[in-house]
Amino acid sequence: MVVDGATRAYLHDMNETIDLTSSAAARVAAIAAKQAKPAILRLSVEGGGCSGFQYKFGLAETVEADDSVAVRDGVRLVVDSVSLDLVQGAAVDYVESLGGSAFKVTNPNAASGCGCGSSFSV
């Protein structure tokens, strides 16, 4: 990743803090290629869901100044500084099953979660 000096000061290496699996990286790359967008997956945490907090995923156009960045196979996972406190140590995976396919977060900070796997409490 190439960034200017001012931006570099705000980027943090998340490889020790959060993990993007190869499966998730491959899926992001495929989606980004189809949409002709950069291979940047944004993970954020919002209030709501059945357990208090919910994960939100989306493709990002750029890396923001307060984002932390993890890179796997050329794909970037970005998390804002507020959300990072709630997902530190987590792994983002992409799973396919008979019930469907989805990005899944394995979060060691979550005290409990809901059946759908998209919300959690701390």
Side-chain angles (χ1 to χ4, degrees):
M1 174 173 63
V2 177
V3 294
D4 62 41
T7 304
R8 184 183 319 274
Y10 294 99
L11 295 178
H12 305 284
D13 181 9
M14 290 193 313
N15 290 330
E16 298 295 323
T17 308
I18 191 166
D19 185 36
L20 179 68
T21 67
S22 295
S23 174
R27 184 64 181 151
V28 172
I31 293 169
K34 282 185 180 180
Q35 296 184 13
K37 293 188 174 190
I40 304 172
L41 178 65
R42 176 169 297 283
L43 167 62
S44 58
V45 176
E46 298 178 342
C50 15
S51 297
F53 293 102
Q54 60 188 359
Y55 302 111
K56 181 178 175 189
F57 291 99
L59 290 181
E61 291 290 330
T62 61
V63 176
E64 301 297 328
D66 73 332
D67 286 341
S68 293
V69 181
V71 179
R72 166 88 52 160
D73 302 330
V75 174
R76 291 178 278 180
L77 170 65
V78 296
V79 180
D80 64 88
S81 59
V82 174
S83 298
L84 184 60
D85 287 341
L86 296 168
V87 296
Q88 195 161 15
V92 177
D93 195 10
Y94 181 74
V95 294
E96 296 183 76
S97 69
L98 292 175
S101 57
F103 288 100
K104 178 183 174 187
V105 179
T106 303
N107 188 350
N109 302 304
S112 65
C114 67
C116 66
S118 64
S119 68
F120 66 101
S121 66
V122 290

